[in-house]
C-alpha cells in the first residue's frame, strides 16, 4: 500500500490498531501521534518517534507546583542572562565566539541540559541529559516525555488555531472538511447526548452479540466480511494492499498475522510479569461491555473467555525477531490457494468485499507473510464456538470505536492505559485529542494549512544540500568498508545514489483541485463525530481498493506534514522528512552547523542507513526484494552485525535485558547515521573553515556535534512504558541509542579525550557502515 493510504488507513494511532505495513522510521514510541515510514511486509515498524498522551491542566496544579514553575522560569531567565554576560567577557579573549541572539539562546538550552558532575567518558547520556532529566519530571498523563513532545505540542497548537479559524479565506473544500471533522469531535454535548447508541446500533446491524441477550447464529463469514471491509478491523489476520516487495512497480493484496488486543504476544505469555496489565485489560473489556448493555457477571465470564482466546492466538503468533528475513516469509500465490491454506474462511467473498468495487477472481495474486500462522488460526477457528468467535470479532470493532463515544468510554480506556503505561490520570484538553484525530484522518488536508502557515520554502533546498553532503560522506566511507567485496560495494553505492528524497510535504496538497479530488468521496457531517469516523473507514476502504494492481505513487506519503518523524521506504528506495521535524531541536538555520549536523543530519543519516540495515539491504536500488549481494558479503555482514546484537543485548533497563536481535535494524541505523553525519560535518568544515563556537560552554564544535545528537534523545518514561518498549519497540531505549552509538565511535573518544577501556571508549567497537 502507498504511504498516503497507509497514513489514511491507520487512523486512530495509539488505539490498539494493528499496523500491517512496513516502514523504517526514526522512532516508534508513544511520543508523537504519527504513522511511520514504509513498514516491512513482515509487519515490523522501524521509526524515529511515536505518539504521546495528554498534558496536565494548569487548573489541576497545586499552589506549590505553580510556585515551583515560576521559580524554574526565573532561574531559566537568569541562566540566559549569565550566559550572555559570560559570553561578552569570553569574546575579549576568544574572538571566534558566536554572540548572536540565536547562539546565546541555544547555548543556554544546551548548558541547562548538562550534568557536568558526570564524566562524559563514563556515561555520555547522563552527562548530556542529566540536567534536562532533573528539570523535566514526567508530566501527568504521559508515559514518556522528551524533546519530541515539546515540538509535537508546538505543532498541535498551530493546528488547533488553523482548525478553529473557520473564517479563513482561500482554502480548499478538503481543508474545510478537516475543520468540520474537528468541530464534530469537539462537540462534546452531542457526543454525550448520543452516549453508547451509535456503537450499539452498529453492533445490532452487524448481527448482535451474546453480551446483551441470547445469541445462536451461524453467520461467521458474514460478520468477518463486515468487520473487515466496512470497519477496517483485522480479527485473526490482516488483509491489505501494499507494494509487492518483489515487484516494486505494482501494488498487490497481502495477508499477515494479527488479532491481539495488547501490543505484544509477550503480555499474554509472561503472565507473572504482566499480571497487572492483564487484569487491567480484562477490567477494561468488562467495563466497556457493561456500558454497551451487558450485565456485570455475564460480561466478565465472556470477556475472560476472550482473554483466554487471545492467549491461544498469542501462542501461535510468530515473534517479530523470527520474521526479520523477508525472503523467508514472502510467499506469493493465487488467491485460490488461500482456501487450501486456511479452509475455514471463504476467501473470495471476503477479498471481493474488502476490495470492492474492484472485481477479483481466484487467480488474483496474493502475498502471504504468515503461512504457518494462517494454517493454525484456521484450525483454531474451527475448534472455537461460534458465539465466542462472534463476540471476539465484535470486540475488535468495539476496541477501535469506543474512544469515539462519550466520556465514560474514554475514562475506561484511560484507566487501562494508566495500568499499561504507568501514567497518572490527567485532564487532557479535548482539543489535543481532536487535533491528533483530525491529523490521523484528514492529515493531508490539515497538512496543507500547516505548511502554508509554517514552512519556509527554502528549507527544502537547505535540507537537500544536507542530505547530499551526508550521502556523499556515506558513499565515501563505503570505500573503506573492508568486509564487503568490490562488486557488492559498487552496487551499494548505486543504491545510495538512487535514494529519492521527499522533503516537507507531498506536492499534491498545495493544489486545491488535486487535494479536493483526493477527498471528494468523503463526506463530513459537522455535528456527528461517530458517523464521520465510520464514513472515514468506508472511504479509506475504497481508497485502498483503488490502489490494487496500480504502480505506487511517490507523491503519496505515510506521514502527514506536521508529523515529528521521518522514514525510509524500502520498496520505493526513498527517504521522507515531513515539515514537522524540520525545526528545533533538530534544525535551525541560525544555529551552528555542528548542532544541525548532530540533529537533523543524524536523522538523515539514520534513514539513509536503513537502506543497508538487516532488512533494507535485501532490497535493490529499484526497491525489489532480491539477492543482489555476493554470498561472501552476506556472511560477512551477518558476522559484523552479531557484534551489535551482543552489544545491545548486554544492556538492560530496570533489570530487563534488551533484545539486540529485535532492535538490530534501528541500532545499525543509529550507528551509521551518526558516522555519516559526523563525516559530512568534517567535510563541511574542510570546505568552509571552522565556525564560531557557542559562548560559555567551553566546548569545541566537534564536541557540540555529539552533544547535539545526544540531547535530541533526552527523555523520561515510566517503568511500565520502558517494559512495553523492551518487548515491542524495534528501537533501543533513548539512553542506549546514545551510549551504544557513541561507544562505537572513535571520533567521539578522540574529541572527548576518553582513555582506552572507559565505558564510552571500549576496546571492542562494533562497526558496520
Amino acid at each position: 500500500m502507498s504511504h498516503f493510504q497507509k497514513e489514511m488507513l491507520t487512523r486512530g494511532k495509539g488505539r490498539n490498531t494493528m499496523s500491517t505495513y512496513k516502514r523504517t522510521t526514526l522512532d516508534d514510541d508513544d511520543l508523537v501521534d504519527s504513522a511511520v515510514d514504509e513498514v516491512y511486509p513482515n509487519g515490523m515498524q522501524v521509526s524515529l518517534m511515536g505518539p504521546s498522551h495528554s498534558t496536565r491542566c494548569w487548573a489541576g496544579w497545586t499552589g506549590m507546583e505553580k510556585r515551583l514553575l515560576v521559580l524554574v522560569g526565573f532561574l531559566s531567565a537568569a541562566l540566559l542572562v549569565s550566559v550572555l554576560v559570560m559570553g561578552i567577557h569570553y569574546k575579549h579573549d576568544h574572538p571566534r565566539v558566536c554572540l548572536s541572539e540565536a547562539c546565546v539562546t541555544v547555548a543556554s538550552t544546551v548548558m541547562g541540559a548538562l550534568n557536568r558532575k558526570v564524566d562524559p567518558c563514563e556515561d555520555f547520556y547522563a552527562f548530556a541529559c542529566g540536567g534536562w532529566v532533573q528539570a523535566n519530571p514526567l508530566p501527568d498523563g504521559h508515559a514518556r516525555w522528551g524533546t519530541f513532545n515539546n515540538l509535537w505540542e508546538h505543532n498541535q497548537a498551530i493546528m488547533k488555531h488553523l482548525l478553529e479559524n473557520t473564517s479563513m479565506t482561500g482554502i480548499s473544500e478538503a481543508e474545510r472538511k478537516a475543520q468540520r471533522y474537528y468541530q464534530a469531535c469537539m462537540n462534546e454535548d452531542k457526543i454525550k447526548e448520543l452516549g453508547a447508541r451509535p456503537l450499539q446500533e452498529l453492533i445490532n446491524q452487524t448481527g448482535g452479540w451474546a453480551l446483551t441477550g441470547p445469541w445462536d447464529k451461524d453467520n461467521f463469514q458474514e460478520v468477518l466480511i463486515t468487520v473487515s471491509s466496512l470497519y477496517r478491523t483485522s480479527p485473526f489476520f490482516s488483509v491489505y494492499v501494499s507494494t509487492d516487495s518483489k515487484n516494486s512497480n505494482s501494488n498487490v493484496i497481502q495477508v499477515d498475522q494479527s488479532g491481539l488486543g495488547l501490543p505484544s504476544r509477550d503480555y499474554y505469555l509472561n503472565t507473572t510479569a504482566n499480571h497487572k496489565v492483564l487484569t487491567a485489560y480484562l477490567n477494561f473489556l468488562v467495563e466497556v461491555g457493561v456500558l454497551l448493555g451487558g450485565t456485570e457477571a455475564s460480561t466478565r465470564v465472556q470477556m475472560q473467555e476472550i482473554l483466554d482466546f487471545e492467549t491461544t492466538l498469542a501462542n501461535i503468533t510468530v515473534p517479530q525477531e523470527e520474521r526479520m528475513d523477508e525472503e523467508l516469509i514472502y510467499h506469493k500465490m493465487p488467491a485460490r490457494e488461500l482456501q487450501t491454506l486456511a479452509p475455514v474462511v471463504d476467501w473470495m467473498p471476503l477479498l471481493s468485499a474488502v476490495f470492492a468495487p474492484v472485481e477479483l477472481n481466484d487467480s488474483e495474486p496474493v502475498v502471504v507473510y504468515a503461512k504457518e500462522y494462517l494454517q493454525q488460526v484456521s484450525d483454531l477457528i474451527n475448534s472455537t464456538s461460534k458465539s465466542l468467535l462472534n463476540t471476539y470479532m465484535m470486540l475488535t470493532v468495539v476496541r477501535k470505536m469506543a474512544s469515539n463515544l462519550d466520556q465514560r468510554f474514554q475514562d475506561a480506556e484511560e484507566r487501562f492505559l494508566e495500568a499499561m503505561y504507568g501514567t497518572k490520570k490527567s485532564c487532557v484538553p479535548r482539543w489535543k485529542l481532536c487535533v491528533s484525530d483530525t491529523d490521523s484522518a484528514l492529515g493531508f488536508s490539515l497538512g496543507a494549512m500547516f505548511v502554508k502557515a509554517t514552512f519556509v520554502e527554502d528549507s527544502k533546498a537547505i535540507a537537500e544540500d544536507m542530505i547530499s553532503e551526508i550521502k556523499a560522506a556515506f558513499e565515501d566511507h563505503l570505500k573503506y568498508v573492508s568486509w564487503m567485496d568490490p562488486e557488492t560495494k559498487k552496487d551499494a553505492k548505486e543504491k545510495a545514489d538512487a535514494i529519492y528524497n521527499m522533503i516537507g510535504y507531498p506536492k499534491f496538497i498545495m493544489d486545491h483541485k488535486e487535494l479536493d479530488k483526493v477527498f471528494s468521496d468523503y463526506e463530513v457531517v459537522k455535528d456527528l463525530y461517530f458517523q464521520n469516523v465510520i464514513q472515514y473507514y468506508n472511504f479509506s476502504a475504497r481508497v485502498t481498493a483503488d490502489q490494487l494492481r496500480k504502480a505506487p505513487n511517490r507523491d503519496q506519503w505515510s506521514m502527514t506534514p506536521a508529523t515529528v518523524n521521518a522514514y525510509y521506504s524500502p520498496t520505493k528506495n526513498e527517504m521522507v522528512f515531513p515539515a514537522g521535524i524540520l525545526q528545533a531541536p533538530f534544525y535551525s538555520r541560525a544555529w551552528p552547523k555542528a548542532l544541525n549536523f548532530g540533529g537533523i543530519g543524524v536523522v538523515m543519516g539514520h534513514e539513509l542507513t536503513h537502506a543497508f540495515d538487516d532488512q533494507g539491504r535485501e532490497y535493490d536500488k529499484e526497491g525489489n526484494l532480491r539477492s543482489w549481494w555476493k554470498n561472501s558479503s552476506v556472511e560477512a555482514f551477518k558476522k559484523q552485525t552479531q557484534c551489535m546484537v551482543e552489544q545491545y543485548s548486554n544492556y538492560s533497563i530496570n533489570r530487563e535485558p534488551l533484545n539486540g536481535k529485535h532492535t538490530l535494524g534501528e541500532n545499525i541505523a543509529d550507528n551509521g547515521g551518526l558516522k555519516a553525519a559526523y563525516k559530512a560535518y568534517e567535510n563541511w568544515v574542510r570546505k568552509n573553515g571552522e565556525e564560531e563556537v557557542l559562548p560559555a560552554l567551553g566546548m569545541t564544535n566537534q564536541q557540540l556535534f555529539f552533544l547535539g545528537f545526544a540531547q535530541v534523545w533526552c527523555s523520561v518514561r515510566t517503568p511500565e512504558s520502558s517494559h512495553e518498549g523492551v518487548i515491542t519497540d524495534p528501537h533501543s531505549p533513548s539512553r542506549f541509542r546514545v551510549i551504544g552509538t557513541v561507544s562505537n565511535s572513535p571520533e567521539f573518544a578522540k574529541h572527548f579525550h576518553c582513555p582506552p577501556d572507559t565505558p564510552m571508549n571500549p576496546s571492542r567497537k562494533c562497526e558496520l557502515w
Side-chain angles (χ1 to χ4, degrees), residues 326-339:
E326 195 182 335
E327 284 274 15
L328 295 178
I329 64 172
Y330 177 102
H331 302 284
K332 196 170 189 178
M333 60 186 69
R336 71 176 73 91
E337 290 188 18
L338 288 170
Q339 204 60 56

Side-chain angles (χ1 to χ4, degrees), residues 1 26 29 63 72 118 122 132 179 234 288 328 330 337 390 397 454 480 485 526 560 638 746:
M1 176 174 296
L26 184 54
D29 285 318
V72 168
V118 177
E122 291 293 316
W132 187 96
Q179 290 181 330
S234 301
V288 169
L328 295 178
Y330 177 102
E337 290 188 18
N390 183 71
V397 178
T454 67
Y480 308 102
D485 71 272
K526 184 178 179 182
T560 60
K638 291 178 179 178

Side-chain angles (χ1 to χ4, degrees), residues 470-768:
I470 288 162
K471 191 181 291 186
F474 180 89
E475 292 178 2
D476 182 64
H477 186 68
L478 270 178
K479 301 172 189 173
Y480 308 102
V481 175
S482 58
W483 53 266
M484 180 179 267
D485 71 272
E487 186 177 335
T488 305
K489 199 178 291 188
K490 176 177 173 292
D491 291 341
K493 181 182 183 303
E494 289 180 3
K495 180 178 181 179
D497 281 335
I499 293 175
Y500 191 75
N501 309 321
M502 301 289 280
I503 298 167
Y505 55 89
K507 293 178 182 177
F508 80 91
I509 71 170
M510 304 309 289
D511 184 321
H512 284 191
K513 289 183 179 178
E514 288 297 313
L515 186 60
D516 286 344
K517 182 179 177 183
V518 168
F519 290 100
S520 62
D521 197 26
Y522 177 45
E523 293 301 320
V524 180
V525 182
K526 184 178 179 182
D527 293 322
L528 296 177
Y529 177 49
F530 192 91
Q531 180 178 325
N532 290 336
V533 173
I534 293 296
Q535 289 284 69
Y536 175 79
Y537 289 126
N538 296 165
F539 164 68
S540 67
R542 296 190 294 273
V543 172
T544 297
D546 186 59
Q547 297 301 307
L548 185 57
R549 306 179 191 137
K550 293 182 179 179
N553 185 345
R554 284 203 184 276
D555 206 28
Q556 294 173 331
W557 290 22
S558 69
M559 284 183 181
T560 60
T563 301
V564 185
N565 212 331
Y567 69 87
Y568 169 76
S569 163
T571 54
K572 290 184 180 180
N573 195 27
E574 75 177 8
M575 300 187 292
V576 175
F577 302 96
I581 199 173
L582 298 174
Q583 308 174 69
F586 298 95
Y587 162 80
S588 169
R589 66 183 66 209
W591 285 358
K593 289 287 185 180
L595 276 180
N596 285 337
F597 275 99
I600 196 66
V602 175
V603 174
M604 292 167 173
H606 174 102
E607 302 307 340
L608 170 63
T609 307
H610 268 310
F612 304 95
D613 69 15
D614 58 323
Q615 292 183 286
R617 70 159 193 85
E618 296 184 315
Y619 293 79
D620 65 16
K621 66 180 180 181
E622 303 297 334
N624 291 309
L625 180 68
R626 69 177 182 87
S627 299
W628 57 280
W629 288 37
K630 282 195 171 182
N631 288 338
S632 60
S633 287
V634 172
E635 292 307 312
F637 177 88
K638 291 178 179 178
K639 184 177 179 181
Q640 293 293 121
T641 56
Q642 187 57 32
C643 178
M644 279 190 191
V645 171
E646 293 172 3
Q647 176 194 0
Y648 286 86
S649 294
N650 282 327
Y651 295 136
S652 63
I653 186 165
N654 301 324
R655 299 183 180 179
E656 185 173 11
L658 307 190
N659 185 336
K661 185 176 180 182
H662 179 52
T663 58
L664 177 60
E666 294 298 334
N667 296 334
I668 291 171
D670 282 343
N671 280 265
L674 184 73
K675 180 179 284 290
Y678 180 76
K679 294 290 184 187
Y681 177 60
E682 276 192 327
N683 292 340
W684 184 90
V685 170
R686 274 195 290 272
K687 291 177 189 174
N688 300 279
E690 285 285 350
E691 55 183 337
E692 295 179 331
V693 298
L694 291 182
L697 286 177
M699 291 188 179
T700 67
N701 282 316
Q702 286 72 22
Q703 291 173 326
L704 185 64
F705 167 88
F706 290 104
L707 204 56
F709 155 70
Q711 290 189 346
V712 159
W713 295 110
C714 295
S715 65
V716 288
R717 65 192 304 179
T718 63
E720 293 86 349
S721 172
S722 293
H723 170 65
E724 190 265 348
V726 168
I727 62 177
T728 67
D729 196 345
H731 307 82
S732 296
S734 294
R735 166 175 160 74
F736 302 110
R737 295 186 77 167
V738 174
I739 67 172
T741 305
V742 299
S743 65
N744 288 326
S745 170
E747 294 83 7
F748 170 83
K750 170 188 170 185
H751 289 296
F752 279 89
H753 312 293
C754 295
D757 296 320
T758 50
M760 300 297 100
N761 186 21
S763 55
R764 186 194 186 203
K765 289 181 169 61
C766 300
E767 182 178 12
L768 198 64

